[in-house]
């Protein structure tokens, strides 16, 4: 509930169209809701409605609000423009899910079902907030399935709140938001299989979740790494016959759901994910970087950018937390992950055990390594190319990451475990408050620092009526208070029961 409230709050705090590739994602959703046809990746065009959207300068003051905010239909509708849309290489699942509500209300309210263009963006952002709302619950369930105690599971459910960027990304329009739940369910199934659950429906459901994730975005392919580890473990523990049977139960539904999309592209284009952006980067001039000074320059910039985009700049590109907060948060996060994955398995230490932890961490580590290689391979000082990885891609595996960080925290806090949940809640509140203040100052501030006129501008520019905007802020505050109260109650109850 609190993560949902935070994502909804960021959905109105960030001006429309300002998130990474948000206009392109909204355009595909709008196209699909109006035409129910999917463009080819090589000739996809923006619609006139999205291409002609307003691009106000920032920051925006209250007196700059126009008397009339046109709808996408009034801006040109779904007619194709001359501008290319570079994200049409993705599978259509996310866009169909997001377009369905717009298409359903279209017959009820002709012409402009969602009102102004900004209100359309706001409604789509609310859908995205709902997509990530189940993350804490899945983190709790995965931790318990790994054998963790209730206190560790409670900590795992709080970890997603530690990253303002995760809530920010949940509050904007982006196809990464649909990956979190199916990949969390897939990891839940893989842990169950590795733990000896050989029921057919568990493996088939796990493979279906993997296939659904692949039909959302190709980066979900990294879930095949832990799946392969589980199958190899079954070969060693149960024999080839059982491992092969499990592999088929995982692989057949996965291929059935996603093979029809990627197979033809591989045959025709010789690539799983051909895209315009890849073609543009391939044609850019410049010499490749070499080891030495170039490598040091790339590595420093790559680490700085990935930590920055992982902690805070995922959904709010122009706004970042102070460097020392970003570096400290990212470093502590990595420390807990390393401890969780490498700490020995003993009855006295919190679960998951080390083999399970290594399996859980394999997917995000593989993703990060591959993206680092791609970044270095395309890095060219002459062409001015920097690192290509936005670490928000790692949010797809937020559920297993939350469980691992929870284990790492409790391993290092022996003797003070009962203070961990409340400490995390306080830290999360401080990080989100800092991010919100920075966003208010950047997008709505007319002078350095946050003043009353900034809040007036924020409310005036909101796509919702002023009463609705204030209600969202009040509900967010109430959700935080509710989470604090329930966290204290749960911690006290679990501590008493453990003693």
């Amino acid at each position: 509930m609190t993560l949902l409230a935070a994502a909804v709050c960021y959905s109105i705090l960030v001006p429309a169209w300002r998130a990474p590739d948000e206009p392109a994602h909204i355009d595909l959703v709008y196209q699909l809701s109006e035409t129910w046809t999917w463009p080819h990746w090589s000739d996809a065009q923006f619609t006139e409605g999205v291409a002609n959207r307003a691009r106000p300068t920032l920051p925006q003051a209250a007196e700059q609000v126009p008397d009339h905010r046109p709808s996408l239909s009034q801006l040109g509708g779904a007619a194709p423009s001359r501008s290319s849309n570079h994200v049409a290489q993705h599978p259509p699942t996310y866009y169909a899910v997001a377009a369905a509500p717009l298409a359903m209300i279209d017959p009820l309210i002709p012409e402009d079902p969602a009102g102004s263009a900004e209100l359309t963006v706001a409604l789509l952002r609310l859908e995205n907030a709902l997509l990530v709302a189940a993350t804490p619950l899945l983190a709790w369930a995965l931790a318990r399935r790994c054998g963790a105690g209730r206190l560790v599971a409670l900590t795992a459910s709080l970890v997603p709140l530690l990253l303002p960027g995760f809530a920010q990304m949940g509050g904007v329009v982006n196809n990464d938001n649909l990956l979190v739940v199916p990949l969390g369910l897939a990891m839940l199934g893989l842990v169950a299989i590795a733990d000896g659950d050989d029921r057919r429906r568990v493996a088939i459901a796990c493979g279906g979740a993997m296939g659904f994730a692949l039909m959302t975005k190709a980066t979900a392919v990294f879930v095949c790494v832990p799946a392969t580890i589980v199958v190899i473990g079954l070969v060693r523990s149960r024999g080839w016959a059982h491992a092969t049977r499990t592999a088929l139960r995982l692989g057949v539904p996965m291929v059935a759901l996603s093979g029809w999309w990627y197979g033809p592209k591989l045959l025709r284009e010789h690539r799983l994910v051909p895209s315009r952006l890849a073609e543009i980067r391939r044609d850019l001039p410049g010499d490749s970087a070499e080891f030495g000074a170039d490598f040091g320059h790339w590595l420093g910039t790559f680490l700085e950018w990935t930590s920055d985009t992982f902690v805070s700049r995922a959904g709010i590109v122009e706004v970042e937390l102070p460097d020392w907060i970003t570096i400290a948060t990212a470093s502590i996060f990595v420390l807990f992950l390393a401890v969780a994955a490498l700490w020995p398995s003993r009855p006295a230490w919190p679960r998951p055990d080390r083999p399970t932890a290594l399996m859980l961490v394999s997917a995000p580590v593989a993703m990060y390594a591959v993206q680092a290689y791609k970044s270095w391979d395309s890095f060219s000082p002459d062409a001015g190319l920097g690192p290509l990885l936005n670490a928000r891609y790692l949010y797809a595996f937020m559920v297993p990451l939350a469980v691992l960080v929870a284990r790492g925290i409790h391993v290092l806090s022996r003797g003070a475990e009962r203070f961990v949940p409340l400490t995390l809640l306080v830290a999360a509140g401080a990080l989100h408050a800092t991010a919100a203040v920075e966003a208010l100052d950047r997008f709505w501030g007319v002078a350095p620092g946050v003043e009353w006129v900034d809040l007036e501008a924020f409310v005036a520019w909101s796509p919702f009526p002023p009463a609705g905007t204030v209600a969202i802020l009040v509900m967010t505050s109430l959700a935080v208070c509710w989470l604090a109260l329930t966290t204290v109650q749960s911690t006290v109850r679990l501590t008493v029961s453990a003693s």
Side-chain angles (χ1 to χ4, degrees):
M1 178 179 175
T2 306
L3 178 61
L4 174 62
V8 170
C9 190
Y10 282 119
S11 74
I12 59 174
L13 184 61
V14 182
W17 319 106
R18 303 303 296 189
D21 292 328
E22 189 172 48
H25 292 301
I26 293 172
D27 179 72
L28 290 178
V29 173
Y30 181 58
Q31 285 192 50
L32 204 56
S33 69
E34 292 291 321
T35 65
W36 287 108
T37 58
W38 191 251
H40 191 267
W41 68 270
S42 62
D43 58 6
Q45 307 295 322
F46 271 92
T47 60
E48 287 284 351
V50 176
N52 295 330
R53 69 191 186 278
R55 298 176 178 84
T57 56
L58 297 174
Q60 300 173 129
E63 55 270 16
Q64 294 175 322
V65 178
D67 296 331
H68 172 68
R69 301 191 196 184
S71 66
L72 291 176
S73 297
Q74 294 169 340
L75 291 170
S81 70
R82 296 183 179 181
S83 301
S84 299
N85 190 324
H86 65 281
V87 302
Q89 77 274 12
H90 295 301
T93 303
Y94 166 81
Y95 305 96
V97 170
L102 293 182
M104 285 189 295
I105 64 175
D106 187 54
L108 303 176
I109 310 176
E111 298 296 329
D112 303 313
S116 68
E118 290 74 20
L119 184 57
T120 301
V121 175
L123 294 177
L124 292 175
R125 286 180 169 186
L126 291 180
E127 291 180 37
N128 280 259
L130 289 172
L131 293 178
V132 300
T135 306
L137 181 61
L138 281 173
W140 165 276
L142 182 60
R144 293 295 288 165
R145 191 63 186 81
C146 291
R150 292 182 179 272
L151 198 57
V152 177
L154 175 62
T155 302
S157 68
L158 294 173
V159 168
L161 289 172
L162 281 174
L163 300 174
F166 182 64
Q168 293 163 12
M169 183 53 59
V172 300
V173 182
N174 194 284
N175 58 357
D176 290 317
N177 292 324
L178 190 56
L179 283 176
V180 183
V181 169
L183 287 178
L185 292 173
M187 298 304 296
L188 193 61
L190 290 175
V191 169
I193 294 169
D195 201 34
D197 192 336
D198 58 358
R199 288 175 294 176
R200 180 186 307 171
R201 65 176 180 269
V202 172
I204 292 176
C206 182
M210 293 163 61
F212 183 87
L214 279 168
M215 274 306 298
T216 300
K217 195 170 184 178
T219 50
V221 71
F222 291 100
V223 75
C224 294
V225 177
T228 303
I229 293 174
V230 169
V231 172
I232 292 174
L234 291 178
V235 172
R236 300 178 60 184
S237 62
R238 305 287 294 275
W240 279 100
H242 181 80
T244 302
R245 189 163 55 248
T246 302
L248 288 174
R249 291 172 180 173
L250 290 171
V252 169
M254 182 182 71
V255 174
L257 286 174
S258 60
W260 66 272
W261 174 264
Y262 294 103
K265 286 181 169 53
L266 186 61
L267 292 175
R268 290 196 303 261
E269 312 288 346
H270 306 293
R271 283 175 291 168
L272 284 176
V273 190
S275 69
R276 281 186 172 180
L277 196 58
E279 297 294 332
I280 293 172
R281 285 168 175 163
R282 180 180 299 177
D283 295 337
L284 286 173
D287 299 326
S288 298
E290 298 179 356
F291 280 98
D294 289 343
F295 179 77
H297 175 212
W298 166 81
L299 182 62
T301 310
F302 179 78
L303 293 176
E304 178 183 1
W305 176 246
T306 52
S307 63
D308 198 15
T309 53
F310 184 70
V311 174
S312 64
R313 292 216 312 179
I316 305 179
V317 177
E318 297 95 339
V319 176
E320 59 180 324
L321 295 176
D323 290 341
W324 71 270
I325 294 180
T326 299
I327 294 173
T329 303
S331 301
I332 293 172
F333 210 89
V334 172
L335 171 64
F336 290 146
L337 283 177
V339 170
L342 301 178
W343 203 262
S345 302
R346 295 175 183 172
W349 302 114
R351 293 177 67 87
D353 54 20
R354 184 162 59 180
T356 304
L358 288 171
M359 186 270 286
L360 293 178
V361 82
S362 62
V365 167
M367 176 187 288
Y368 193 81
V370 170
Q371 292 292 344
Y373 170 76
K374 289 172 60 179
S375 175
W376 166 251
D377 187 56
S378 62
F379 184 75
S380 173
D382 293 342
L385 289 182
L388 304 178
L389 171 66
N390 189 315
R392 73 174 188 272
Y393 301 145
L394 296 171
Y395 291 161
F397 294 99
M398 179 54 67
V399 173
L401 286 175
V403 174
L404 291 170
V405 169
R407 187 201 187 218
I409 291 174
H410 282 274
V411 164
L412 296 179
S413 62
R414 302 296 292 176
E417 297 93 335
R418 62 186 183 277
F419 300 113
V420 167
L422 192 57
T423 301
L424 289 186
L425 193 57
V426 171
L431 289 169
H432 283 283
T434 304
V437 168
E438 292 290 333
L440 277 172
D441 189 35
R442 172 67 178 88
F443 293 128
W444 315 104
V446 295
V450 176
E451 302 176 355
W452 183 253
V453 291
D454 305 338
L455 296 174
E456 290 180 338
F458 165 61
V459 173
W461 276 96
S462 172
F464 302 110
T469 302
V470 173
I472 289 175
L473 299 179
V474 171
M475 289 177 62
T476 302
S477 302
L478 292 176
V480 171
C481 294
W482 172 83
L483 179 62
L485 178 61
T486 55
T487 299
V488 172
Q489 290 177 337
S490 300
T491 303
V492 171
R493 185 173 62 253
L494 294 175
T495 302
V496 171
S497 62
S499 60

